[in-house]
Every structure is written in C-alpha cells, then in structure tokens.
Amino acid sequence: MDKKKKEKMPDKDLFSVSKGSRRVMIIFFAVMTLIWIVPIYSLIKDSLKVNGIENYVYVLTNQINGVPFYQYFINSAINAVGASLLLVFICSLAGFAFSKIDFTGRKLIYNLVIMCLAISGPILIIPLFYIYKTTHLYNTHLAVILSECLITIPFGVLMMKNFFDGLPGELMESANVDGANIIQTYFQIYLPLAKPAIINLIVLQLMWSFQDFLFPLMFLTRDKVYTTTVAVNAFKGAYGMSAQSLGRYNAALVLISIPTILIFIFAQKYIVNGVTSGAVKE
C-alpha cells in the first residue's frame, strides 16, 4: 500500500514558484533589462549623429595622437592575456596546496590570503608606483599585468581551493601508491580535472582586465602603451566636443566595449559551469 501511495503522489519541484511570483520575477528582470539597454541604445544613437556610420570608419582609419586605433586593442589584449595566464598559474598551484597538501601554518596563511579580499586597488597605488619606478617597469605592459593579477589573486585562490576541495582525496593516495610525486600528481591528475574552474577564472580575468581603468591610468603615460579604457581621454582631447566630434567620440566608446561583450557572450556557459562546479562538496 505504501508503495502504491508513493507512486500515485505527484513529484513536487522544490524550486517551483507560483504564477504570481513568476510574474513579479518577469517584471523585475524586464525592468533591469531596460535599465541596462537604455544607456547602450543612447550611446549607439549618439554615435550615429551627424555622419552616421562614417563616424566608425573615421575612428578605425585615423590615428589618435599618432597611434592607430587598433593598437589600443592590442595593448589591452596583451595585458588581459598576460594577467590571466599568470593568475591561473599562481592560483591553481596555491589552491591545490591549500586544499590537498598538509603543511605547517596552512590555515593561517590561507586566512591571510582571504583577508586580502578586503584590500582595494587604490590602496596599492603608491607602493606599486614606487616598486615599478625603482625596477624600471613603469610605463610597461608588465606593470599593468602584475597589478591586475595581484588584486585578483585572493579571489582566484578562494575559487580554485573550493574546486579542489570538491575533488576526492583518494586521487592523491592512488598517485602516491603509483609512485608519483606531488608535482606529477598536480599536473597529470588534478590540473586536467580543474579545467572548468580554470576556464572560468581566465574568462573573468579577461573581462576585468579589458574593463580596468585604474591601473593603466596610474602606470601608463605613453600613448603607444595605452589601453582602450585609458584611451578614452585621448579620444576626448583629439575629437573635441563639437556635434561632429561627439559622434566620433561615442563611436569610439562603442568600439572599445565590443571585446568585453563578445567575451561574455561566448564564454557565459563556462562562467556558469565554473561557478557551480566547485559549489557542492561531498
């Protein structure tokens, strides 16, 4: 009898919502979408004023302070890719060590790293400026790469450790039985399994680097090494504030936003997979 009752009972979805709640959610997301779309629509509309699509052609085919427009994209890409690769290398090693290796002071060191999440970028400007000046890294891509990587390391270590915590410790024991040392265990077993988290971290860092304004502004003063975000000031100075120049200025703003949008569109599934992959621990 109990089995028959269980079979007749309909399965209830724990995450099901009522029609009223669903409507409220739809209205909320519709309003948020409008709030996000209206500024973009206004920017695109202003970029087409006076000369229309010719504003984009002008920006792409003319130099700004002697630098072609595509050079700013190249500079941003160099910084973003460099910071992403360095971040993954450091955070994957640190996350693996904090998760799977038992050493003296592990918990204390990990807590100190996590406490660094409270440190904001502006606090680091003066010490980093002094370091880059004394080491002749000022006005180089490496200065921006190191700064962007440094500020993201605590988050990256937290994410990678949480992911490695979700992987079974028996893999480490099996590797030890087979005679693999700790380096071989990391590179041959755990690192391939951490692909979702690594891709997620790379995508997030690429997006943050392309949007970063503070560090390129502080550590770059030459037009040839400017990123797209810092080049906005150069656009304003080169184009002026006339009706025709405002169209070109807004066209430049639209163009520099394209890489971040494309990264998010094509990599959003990796972001979701990476966030959820380490969320559940056995």
Side-chain angles (χ1 to χ4, degrees):
M1 293 293 294
D2 293 336
K3 291 182 178 180
K4 292 181 179 179
K5 288 182 178 180
K6 289 181 180 179
E7 290 177 357
K8 292 181 180 179
M9 291 177 62
D11 294 333
K12 294 183 179 180
D13 187 359
L14 295 176
F15 298 98
S16 62
V17 294
S18 62
K19 291 183 177 179
S21 300
R22 192 174 301 167
R23 288 172 184 172
V24 172
M25 292 174 61
I26 292 174
I27 293 173
F28 172 77
F29 286 119
V31 171
M32 296 302 296
T33 302
L34 286 174
I35 293 174
W36 185 78
I37 288 178
V38 169
I40 296 178
Y41 168 77
S42 177
L43 178 64
I44 296 175
K45 183 183 70 174
D46 291 341
S47 69
L48 297 173
K49 284 184 177 179
V50 183
N51 293 325
I53 198 69
E54 291 183 6
N55 290 329
Y56 290 88
V57 177
Y58 181 89
V59 171
L60 291 171
T61 56
N62 285 268
Q63 295 185 350
I64 303 169
N65 296 333
V67 181
F69 186 78
Y70 66 82
Q71 184 64 46
Y72 299 120
F73 284 101
I74 295 175
N75 295 337
S76 295
I78 291 173
N79 296 338
V81 172
S84 300
L85 295 178
L86 182 60
L87 181 70
V88 166
F89 177 74
I90 294 173
C91 293
S92 62
L93 284 171
F96 174 74
F98 286 129
S99 176
K100 300 301 181 185
I101 303 176
D102 188 13
F103 58 90
T104 305
R106 179 179 68 171
K107 189 173 182 179
L108 174 63
I109 297 173
Y110 177 71
N111 289 334
L112 290 174
V113 172
I114 298 306
M115 287 173 61
C116 292
L117 285 168
I119 299 177
S120 60
I123 297 177
L124 302 175
I125 292 298
I126 294 178
L128 288 177
F129 181 85
Y130 176 77
I131 292 172
Y132 295 149
K133 274 291 188 180
T134 55
T135 55
H136 305 288
L137 293 177
Y138 189 74
N139 258 330
T140 65
H141 293 296
L142 191 57
V144 178
I145 290 172
L146 292 175
S147 302
E148 292 176 346
C149 178
L150 177 66
I151 200 66
T152 319
I153 282 177
F155 169 79
V157 171
L158 173 65
M159 191 182 76
M160 293 304 301
K161 179 185 179 298
N162 287 342
F163 184 88
F164 284 122
D165 284 344
L167 297 179
E170 289 79 5
L171 294 174
M172 179 79 73
E173 298 174 2
S174 299
N176 290 335
V177 171
D178 292 338
N181 56 39
I182 194 67
I183 300 298
Q184 292 172 328
T185 303
Y186 166 73
F187 280 105
Q188 297 179 11
I189 299 177
Y190 281 94
L191 189 62
L193 295 175
K195 183 179 177 181
I198 290 175
I199 293 176
N200 181 31
L201 190 58
I202 290 175
V203 170
L204 291 175
Q205 183 60 46
L206 286 174
M207 293 175 59
W208 292 336
S209 295
F210 270 105
Q211 297 175 19
D212 183 31
F213 176 73
L214 178 63
F215 291 129
L217 179 66
M218 292 292 103
F219 303 136
L220 302 176
T221 58
R222 293 186 295 124
D223 291 319
K224 291 185 178 180
V225 292
Y226 275 172
T227 60
T228 54
T229 52
V230 178
V232 171
N233 291 328
F235 302 156
K236 189 180 296 184
Y239 296 145
M241 291 292 108
S242 64
Q244 183 180 30
S245 297
L246 278 174
R248 295 170 179 172
Y249 176 68
N250 286 301
L253 295 181
V254 172
L255 289 172
I256 66 175
S257 65
I258 290 176
T260 304
I261 295 174
L262 291 178
I263 291 172
F264 176 77
I265 290 174
F266 289 105
Q268 56 182 326
K269 67 176 182 179
Y270 296 110
I271 296 176
V272 175
N273 291 338
V275 171
T276 57
S277 58
V280 180
K281 301 177 185 178
E282 297 181 357

